[in-house]
Amino acid sequence: MIKEKGILFILSGPSGVGKGTVRKKLFEEETDLQYSISMTTRDRRPGEVDGVDYFYKTKEEFEQLIKDGQLLEYAQYVNNYYGTPRNYVEETLENGQDVFLEIEVQGALQVKENFPEGVFIFLFPPSLDELKNRIVSRGTESQELVLNRLKEARNEIEMMDAYDYVVVNDKVQHAVDKVKTIIKSEHLKRERIAKQYKKILEDGLS
Amino acid sequence: MIKEKGILFILSGPSGVGKGTVRKKLFEEETDLQYSISMTTRDRRPGEVDGVDYFYKTKEEFEQLIKDGQLLEYAQYVNNYYGTPRNYVEETLENGQDVFLEIEVQGALQVKENFPEGVFIFLFPPSLDELKNRIVSRGTESQELVLNRLKEARNEIEMMDAYDYVVVNDKVQHAVDKVKTIIKSEHLKRERIAKQYKKILEDGLS
């Protein structure tokens, strides 16, 4: 009866907070979500499928898309571009499906600029010690590198103001449940659905 | 660890939509909510307790409170005042407890003016026919009265723009679940909790 557009949800947060783990568990439980497929210039690896694992583009194509404002965010790693194609996201939303994007803080801020109508969720470490432990235990990094990482984490936490929700990742299942609650609740927002409701009733009551 | 204020939730919607039924079921399931206790000038009836059923005031006291801006909303029925006392609501919120108010549309709009930080939920009829049926089946009202009621309902639906969420009352349990989702999700809003989180991390990281 009521045709509603999908919503773009962005899960982000500081390095080491556990974004990937929360996203994986969420997708095991929530089959209605469409994971946002990235675009890349890196070579396709055996077994990977275009439009499933990534959208594969040449460097020239990618740079043209950047110029045309066709990427919600992008970054360069090891001479390759990675980004989120606007078209794919918008078409999926138009079909009434929610899109879910898990991304670093810098990327999330780019998306916020290019697609402010997204719903931005900040994943928060359960405690400072926990975040320190996770950063330290990642590898055999030097004291200096660990301190830099912590400084970066602090800067990323300052970015929290750009987000709509904050979810503590104390236990993965708790965090996943909270993200699911946010998804459901956002679909009840008046500004998303009021027009359709009003039309139905006015048609009937006039 | 994180001390958070309570939130005022307002459930409203057109006459006949089933606000009272949803509220009753919600309170059977949700024990953490505090129902907003009204203030009145009508006589206390046997068995009623001041501060539980109502706060009882004289007409003079009530009118002084109106002048002092101490009512989030009020109305007069059969020569008596009824209203929502600001103090009681604010103290309960300060104690970290959510307050829930079920009220007619006109009252909700008054609350919106006096307490815009509340979360306003509009309960929506499952269909126009259903709303007509509910209004008609209320009594042996004349054709003209029924038409007036429908016109009023239409006007009330126009007020939907003042609300934050819209919940369809197709089945009571569905509506109750959605209200519970909204309550949980609102507690994850960044603007409510970011300050405390930031303080914790900055204290630790500096």
Side-chain angles (χ1 to χ4, degrees):
Chain A
M1 179 169 99
I2 306 253
K3 189 172 157 45
E4 198 198 330
K5 267 185 67 173
I7 302 172
L8 174 62
F9 294 94
I10 298 96
L11 181 70
S12 186
S15 328
V17 76
K19 295 184 287 291
T21 316
V22 169
R23 188 253 303 159
K24 270 176 211 145
K25 183 97 184 111
L26 177 70
F27 272 81
E28 283 168 27
E29 299 184 9
E30 198 65 57
T31 51
D32 282 350
L33 280 177
Q34 174 60 52
Y35 189 66
S36 172
I37 300 165
S38 292
M39 193 170 272
T40 186
T41 57
R42 83 147 164 74
D43 288 339
R44 184 144 62 107
R45 293 176 189 154
E48 286 184 352
V49 180
D50 187 30
V52 175
D53 297 290
Y54 285 97
F55 296 108
Y56 302 92
K57 298 284 170 187
T58 65
K59 202 183 165 197
E60 292 67 34
E61 288 170 331
F62 203 104
E63 287 175 347
Q64 188 59 48
L65 289 167
I66 295 173
K67 275 185 202 149
D68 296 345
Q70 285 300 309
L71 289 154
L72 295 184
E73 56 79 32
Y74 70 94
Q76 249 183 322
Y77 299 106
V78 207
N79 284 325
N80 280 309
Y81 286 114
Y82 294 81
T84 302
R86 176 186 286 275
N87 263 353
Y88 172 72
V89 168
E90 286 186 344
E91 280 165 19
T92 311
L93 299 181
E94 281 299 332
N95 285 334
Q97 205 175 8
D98 292 338
V99 178
F100 194 89
L101 181 57
E102 176 230 319
I103 195 168
E104 300 297 322
V105 170
Q106 291 304 330
L109 295 178
Q110 282 186 56
V111 178
K112 175 85 180 178
E113 221 163 277
N114 294 315
F115 204 84
E117 60 269 45
V119 174
F120 294 78
I121 305 170
F122 192 89
L123 199 63
F124 199 86
S127 75
L128 180 67
D129 288 340
E130 186 74 26
L131 189 69
K132 274 183 183 164
N133 288 341
R134 290 186 195 175
I135 289 173
V136 173
S137 72
R138 275 194 170 181
T140 54
E141 291 166 310
S142 69
Q143 177 85 5
E144 203 191 322
L145 255 174
V146 167
L147 282 176
N148 274 342
R149 283 289 196 84
L150 278 171
K151 205 178 152 190
E152 197 186 305
R154 186 186 165 166
N155 287 339
E156 286 174 338
I157 286 158
E158 293 293 332
M159 311 291 186
M160 194 155 65
D161 288 344
Y163 290 74
D164 300 298
Y165 293 95
V166 178
V167 167
V168 184
N169 191 17
D170 49 356
K171 287 187 178 173
V172 176
Q173 189 63 57
H174 290 176
V176 168
D177 289 345
K178 284 174 178 173
V179 171
K180 286 162 83 175
T181 296
I182 291 166
I183 293 172
K184 278 187 206 148
S185 172
E186 280 290 324
H187 280 282
L188 301 170
K189 281 267 179 84
R190 187 257 317 151
E191 70 250 34
R192 295 194 198 281
I193 50 180
K195 263 187 205 162
Q196 293 102 310
Y197 279 121
K198 275 177 147 178
K199 195 168 174 338
I200 287 167
L201 275 193
E202 283 176 15
D203 288 353
L205 284 166
S206 59
Chain B
M1 180 170 99
I2 305 251
K3 188 168 158 45
E4 198 199 330
K5 268 184 67 173
I7 301 172
L8 175 62
F9 293 94
I10 298 96
L11 181 71
S12 186
S15 328
V17 76
K19 295 183 286 292
T21 316
V22 169
R23 187 252 304 159
K24 270 177 211 144
K25 183 97 183 112
L26 177 70
F27 273 81
E28 283 168 27
E29 300 184 9
E30 198 65 57
T31 51
D32 282 351
L33 281 177
Q34 174 59 52
Y35 189 67
S36 172
I37 299 165
S38 292
M39 194 170 271
T40 185
T41 57
R42 82 147 164 74
D43 288 339
R44 182 144 62 108
R45 292 175 191 155
E48 288 184 353
V49 179
D50 187 30
V52 175
D53 297 289
Y54 285 98
F55 296 107
Y56 301 92
K57 297 283 170 187
T58 65
K59 203 183 166 201
E60 292 69 34
E61 287 170 331
F62 202 104
E63 288 175 344
Q64 188 59 49
L65 288 167
I66 295 174
K67 277 185 202 150
D68 296 345
Q70 286 300 308
L71 289 154
L72 296 184
E73 57 78 34
Y74 69 94
Q76 250 182 323
Y77 299 105
V78 207
N79 283 326
N80 280 310
Y81 285 115
Y82 294 80
T84 302
R86 177 186 285 276
N87 263 353
Y88 172 71
V89 169
E90 287 187 342
E91 280 166 17
T92 311
L93 299 181
E94 282 298 332
N95 286 334
Q97 206 175 5
D98 292 339
V99 178
F100 194 87
L101 180 58
E102 175 231 320
I103 194 167
E104 301 297 322
V105 170
Q106 291 305 330
L109 295 178
Q110 282 187 55
V111 177
K112 175 86 179 177
E113 220 163 276
N114 294 316
F115 204 84
E117 61 267 46
V119 174
F120 294 78
I121 305 170
F122 192 88
L123 199 63
F124 199 85
S127 76
L128 180 67
D129 289 340
E130 184 76 26
L131 189 69
K132 274 183 182 163
N133 288 341
R134 289 186 195 176
I135 289 174
V136 172
S137 70
R138 275 195 170 183
T140 54
E141 291 167 311
S142 70
Q143 178 85 7
E144 202 192 323
L145 255 175
V146 167
L147 282 175
N148 274 342
R149 283 288 196 84
L150 279 171
K151 206 177 151 191
E152 198 186 305
R154 186 187 165 167
N155 288 339
E156 287 174 336
I157 287 159
E158 294 292 333
M159 312 288 187
M160 194 156 64
D161 288 343
Y163 291 74
D164 300 299
Y165 294 94
V166 179
V167 167
V168 184
N169 192 16
D170 49 356
K171 287 189 178 172
V172 176
Q173 189 63 57
H174 289 177
V176 168
D177 289 345
K178 284 173 178 172
V179 171
K180 285 162 83 175
T181 295
I182 292 166
I183 293 172
K184 277 186 207 148
S185 172
E186 280 290 326
H187 280 282
L188 301 171
K189 282 267 181 81
R190 189 257 315 150
E191 71 249 35
R192 295 193 199 281
I193 51 179
K195 263 187 205 163
Q196 292 103 311
Y197 279 122
K198 274 178 146 177
K199 193 165 176 341
I200 286 165
L201 275 194
E202 282 177 15
D203 289 352
L205 284 165
S206 58

PDB file of all heavy atoms in Angstrom, chain B residues 39-55:
ATOM      1  N   MET B  39      -2.642  16.693  36.340  1.00  0.00           N
ATOM      2  CA  MET B  39      -3.106  17.562  37.415  1.00  0.00           C
ATOM      3  C   MET B  39      -4.557  17.922  37.115  1.00  0.00           C
ATOM      4  O   MET B  39      -4.916  18.112  35.948  1.00  0.00           O
ATOM      5  CB  MET B  39      -2.239  18.815  37.424  1.00  0.00           C
ATOM      6  CG  MET B  39      -2.346  19.658  38.651  1.00  0.00           C
ATOM      7  SD  MET B  39      -1.047  20.937  38.605  1.00  0.00           S
ATOM      8  CE  MET B  39       0.314  20.091  39.400  1.00  0.00           C
ATOM      9  N   THR B  40      -5.405  18.010  38.146  1.00  0.00           N
ATOM     10  CA  THR B  40      -6.804  18.331  37.889  1.00  0.00           C
ATOM     11  C   THR B  40      -7.407  19.147  39.029  1.00  0.00           C
ATOM     12  O   THR B  40      -6.899  19.115  40.157  1.00  0.00           O
ATOM     13  CB  THR B  40      -7.650  17.053  37.673  1.00  0.00           C
ATOM     14  OG1 THR B  40      -8.985  17.429  37.300  1.00  0.00           O
ATOM     15  CG2 THR B  40      -7.727  16.203  38.940  1.00  0.00           C
ATOM     16  N   THR B  41      -8.486  19.855  38.698  1.00  0.00           N
ATOM     17  CA  THR B  41      -9.237  20.579  39.731  1.00  0.00           C
ATOM     18  C   THR B  41     -10.510  19.834  40.107  1.00  0.00           C
ATOM     19  O   THR B  41     -11.258  20.290  40.963  1.00  0.00           O
ATOM     20  CB  THR B  41      -9.636  21.990  39.231  1.00  0.00           C
ATOM     21  OG1 THR B  41     -10.399  21.848  38.021  1.00  0.00           O
ATOM     22  CG2 THR B  41      -8.409  22.832  38.943  1.00  0.00           C
ATOM     23  N   ARG B  42     -10.756  18.701  39.481  1.00  0.00           N
ATOM     24  CA  ARG B  42     -11.981  17.992  39.844  1.00  0.00           C
ATOM     25  C   ARG B  42     -11.798  17.319  41.192  1.00  0.00           C
ATOM     26  O   ARG B  42     -10.678  17.072  41.640  1.00  0.00           O
ATOM     27  CB  ARG B  42     -12.384  16.997  38.755  1.00  0.00           C
ATOM     28  CG  ARG B  42     -11.695  15.658  38.775  1.00  0.00           C
ATOM     29  CD  ARG B  42     -12.666  14.553  38.265  1.00  0.00           C
ATOM     30  NE  ARG B  42     -11.977  13.309  37.912  1.00  0.00           N
ATOM     31  CZ  ARG B  42     -11.483  12.458  38.796  1.00  0.00           C
ATOM     32  NH1 ARG B  42     -11.503  12.723  40.096  1.00  0.00           N
ATOM     33  NH2 ARG B  42     -10.917  11.338  38.369  1.00  0.00           N
ATOM     34  N   ASP B  43     -12.918  17.023  41.856  1.00  0.00           N
ATOM     35  CA  ASP B  43     -12.857  16.443  43.203  1.00  0.00           C
ATOM     36  C   ASP B  43     -12.208  15.068  43.173  1.00  0.00           C
ATOM     37  O   ASP B  43     -12.370  14.316  42.211  1.00  0.00           O
ATOM     38  CB  ASP B  43     -14.270  16.315  43.788  1.00  0.00           C
ATOM     39  CG  ASP B  43     -14.836  17.680  44.154  1.00  0.00           C
ATOM     40  OD1 ASP B  43     -14.030  18.611  44.339  1.00  0.00           O
ATOM     41  OD2 ASP B  43     -16.076  17.808  44.235  1.00  0.00           O
ATOM     42  N   ARG B  44     -11.503  14.772  44.226  1.00  0.00           N
ATOM     43  CA  ARG B  44     -10.928  13.446  44.361  1.00  0.00           C
ATOM     44  C   ARG B  44     -12.036  12.448  44.673  1.00  0.00           C
ATOM     45  O   ARG B  44     -12.879  12.694  45.539  1.00  0.00           O
ATOM     46  CB  ARG B  44      -9.894  13.457  45.497  1.00  0.00           C
ATOM     47  CG  ARG B  44      -9.199  12.142  45.703  1.00  0.00           C
ATOM     48  CD  ARG B  44      -7.736  12.346  46.087  1.00  0.00           C
ATOM     49  NE  ARG B  44      -7.611  13.057  47.350  1.00  0.00           N
ATOM     50  CZ  ARG B  44      -7.206  12.474  48.499  1.00  0.00           C
ATOM     51  NH1 ARG B  44      -6.897  11.184  48.504  1.00  0.00           N
ATOM     52  NH2 ARG B  44      -7.104  13.180  49.601  1.00  0.00           N
ATOM     53  N   ARG B  45     -12.049  11.343  43.947  1.00  0.00           N
ATOM     54  CA  ARG B  45     -13.073  10.324  44.171  1.00  0.00           C
ATOM     55  C   ARG B  45     -12.580   9.292  45.179  1.00  0.00           C
ATOM     56  O   ARG B  45     -11.365   9.125  45.341  1.00  0.00           O
ATOM     57  CB  ARG B  45     -13.412   9.631  42.849  1.00  0.00           C
ATOM     58  CG  ARG B  45     -14.120  10.576  41.892  1.00  0.00           C
ATOM     59  CD  ARG B  45     -14.363   9.944  40.532  1.00  0.00           C
ATOM     60  NE  ARG B  45     -14.800  10.964  39.575  1.00  0.00           N
ATOM     61  CZ  ARG B  45     -14.645  10.878  38.268  1.00  0.00           C
ATOM     62  NH1 ARG B  45     -14.054   9.818  37.723  1.00  0.00           N
ATOM     63  NH2 ARG B  45     -15.081  11.845  37.474  1.00  0.00           N
ATOM     64  N   PRO B  46     -13.517   8.581  45.812  1.00  0.00           N
ATOM     65  CA  PRO B  46     -13.111   7.578  46.799  1.00  0.00           C
ATOM     66  C   PRO B  46     -12.127   6.591  46.179  1.00  0.00           C
ATOM     67  O   PRO B  46     -12.336   6.122  45.060  1.00  0.00           O
ATOM     68  CB  PRO B  46     -14.425   6.865  47.148  1.00  0.00           C
ATOM     69  CG  PRO B  46     -15.504   7.837  46.802  1.00  0.00           C
ATOM     70  CD  PRO B  46     -14.995   8.628  45.641  1.00  0.00           C
ATOM     71  N   GLY B  47     -11.054   6.306  46.894  1.00  0.00           N
ATOM     72  CA  GLY B  47     -10.068   5.347  46.393  1.00  0.00           C
ATOM     73  C   GLY B  47      -8.943   5.981  45.609  1.00  0.00           C
ATOM     74  O   GLY B  47      -7.893   5.375  45.435  1.00  0.00           O
ATOM     75  N   GLU B  48      -9.134   7.181  45.094  1.00  0.00           N
ATOM     76  CA  GLU B  48      -8.071   7.859  44.346  1.00  0.00           C
ATOM     77  C   GLU B  48      -7.016   8.421  45.297  1.00  0.00           C
ATOM     78  O   GLU B  48      -7.340   8.849  46.411  1.00  0.00           O
ATOM     79  CB  GLU B  48      -8.648   8.997  43.491  1.00  0.00           C
ATOM     80  CG  GLU B  48      -9.442   8.501  42.283  1.00  0.00           C
ATOM     81  CD  GLU B  48      -9.929   9.627  41.398  1.00  0.00           C
ATOM     82  OE1 GLU B  48      -9.782  10.814  41.765  1.00  0.00           O
ATOM     83  OE2 GLU B  48     -10.470   9.318  40.318  1.00  0.00           O
ATOM     84  N   VAL B  49      -5.768   8.411  44.825  1.00  0.00           N
ATOM     85  CA  VAL B  49      -4.662   8.876  45.675  1.00  0.00           C
ATOM     86  C   VAL B  49      -3.959  10.051  44.993  1.00  0.00           C
ATOM     87  O   VAL B  49      -3.642   9.994  43.809  1.00  0.00           O
ATOM     88  CB  VAL B  49      -3.652   7.717  45.896  1.00  0.00           C
ATOM     89  CG1 VAL B  49      -2.468   8.191  46.754  1.00  0.00           C
ATOM     90  CG2 VAL B  49      -4.335   6.522  46.546  1.00  0.00           C
ATOM     91  N   ASP B  50      -3.738  11.105  45.750  1.00  0.00           N
ATOM     92  CA  ASP B  50      -3.038  12.288  45.239  1.00  0.00           C
ATOM     93  C   ASP B  50      -1.607  11.905  44.863  1.00  0.00           C
ATOM     94  O   ASP B  50      -0.891  11.268  45.635  1.00  0.00           O
ATOM     95  CB  ASP B  50      -3.020  13.389  46.320  1.00  0.00           C
ATOM     96  CG  ASP B  50      -2.459  14.711  45.784  1.00  0.00           C
ATOM     97  OD1 ASP B  50      -2.620  14.973  44.569  1.00  0.00           O
ATOM     98  OD2 ASP B  50      -1.853  15.455  46.566  1.00  0.00           O
ATOM     99  N   GLY B  51      -1.203  12.271  43.659  1.00  0.00           N
ATOM    100  CA  GLY B  51       0.158  11.933  43.214  1.00  0.00           C
ATOM    101  C   GLY B  51       0.238  10.565  42.570  1.00  0.00           C
ATOM    102  O   GLY B  51       1.299  10.157  42.101  1.00  0.00           O
ATOM    103  N   VAL B  52      -0.868   9.841  42.575  1.00  0.00           N
ATOM    104  CA  VAL B  52      -0.902   8.534  41.897  1.00  0.00           C
ATOM    105  C   VAL B  52      -1.919   8.597  40.757  1.00  0.00           C
ATOM    106  O   VAL B  52      -1.573   8.419  39.591  1.00  0.00           O
ATOM    107  CB  VAL B  52      -1.258   7.388  42.872  1.00  0.00           C
ATOM    108  CG1 VAL B  52      -1.415   6.071  42.116  1.00  0.00           C
ATOM    109  CG2 VAL B  52      -0.197   7.269  43.953  1.00  0.00           C
ATOM    110  N   ASP B  53      -3.168   8.874  41.111  1.00  0.00           N
ATOM    111  CA  ASP B  53      -4.198   8.992  40.066  1.00  0.00           C
ATOM    112  C   ASP B  53      -4.123  10.360  39.396  1.00  0.00           C
ATOM    113  O   ASP B  53      -4.161  10.463  38.167  1.00  0.00           O
ATOM    114  CB  ASP B  53      -5.575   8.770  40.690  1.00  0.00           C
ATOM    115  CG  ASP B  53      -5.699   7.365  41.246  1.00  0.00           C
ATOM    116  OD1 ASP B  53      -5.765   6.431  40.437  1.00  0.00           O
ATOM    117  OD2 ASP B  53      -5.667   7.205  42.477  1.00  0.00           O
ATOM    118  N   TYR B  54      -4.048  11.379  40.201  1.00  0.00           N
ATOM    119  CA  TYR B  54      -3.898  12.759  39.737  1.00  0.00           C
ATOM    120  C   TYR B  54      -3.143  13.545  40.796  1.00  0.00           C
ATOM    121  O   TYR B  54      -2.998  13.087  41.937  1.00  0.00           O
ATOM    122  CB  TYR B  54      -5.276  13.437  39.568  1.00  0.00           C
ATOM    123  CG  TYR B  54      -6.066  13.026  38.362  1.00  0.00           C
ATOM    124  CD1 TYR B  54      -7.062  12.061  38.463  1.00  0.00           C
ATOM    125  CD2 TYR B  54      -5.854  13.621  37.123  1.00  0.00           C
ATOM    126  CE1 TYR B  54      -7.816  11.678  37.355  1.00  0.00           C
ATOM    127  CE2 TYR B  54      -6.601  13.244  36.006  1.00  0.00           C
ATOM    128  CZ  TYR B  54      -7.571  12.276  36.131  1.00  0.00           C
ATOM    129  OH  TYR B  54      -8.315  11.911  35.036  1.00  0.00           O
ATOM    130  N   PHE B  55      -2.679  14.713  40.412  1.00  0.00           N
ATOM    131  CA  PHE B  55      -2.343  15.728  41.412  1.00  0.00           C
ATOM    132  C   PHE B  55      -3.578  16.623  41.523  1.00  0.00           C
ATOM    133  O   PHE B  55      -4.018  17.184  40.516  1.00  0.00           O
ATOM    134  CB  PHE B  55      -1.143  16.573  40.951  1.00  0.00           C
ATOM    135  CG  PHE B  55       0.125  15.782  40.805  1.00  0.00           C
ATOM    136  CD1 PHE B  55       0.630  15.483  39.547  1.00  0.00           C
ATOM    137  CD2 PHE B  55       0.836  15.355  41.926  1.00  0.00           C
ATOM    138  CE1 PHE B  55       1.814  14.764  39.399  1.00  0.00           C
ATOM    139  CE2 PHE B  55       2.018  14.634  41.789  1.00  0.00           C
ATOM    140  CZ  PHE B  55       2.505  14.329  40.529  1.00  0.00           C
TER     141      PHE B  55
END
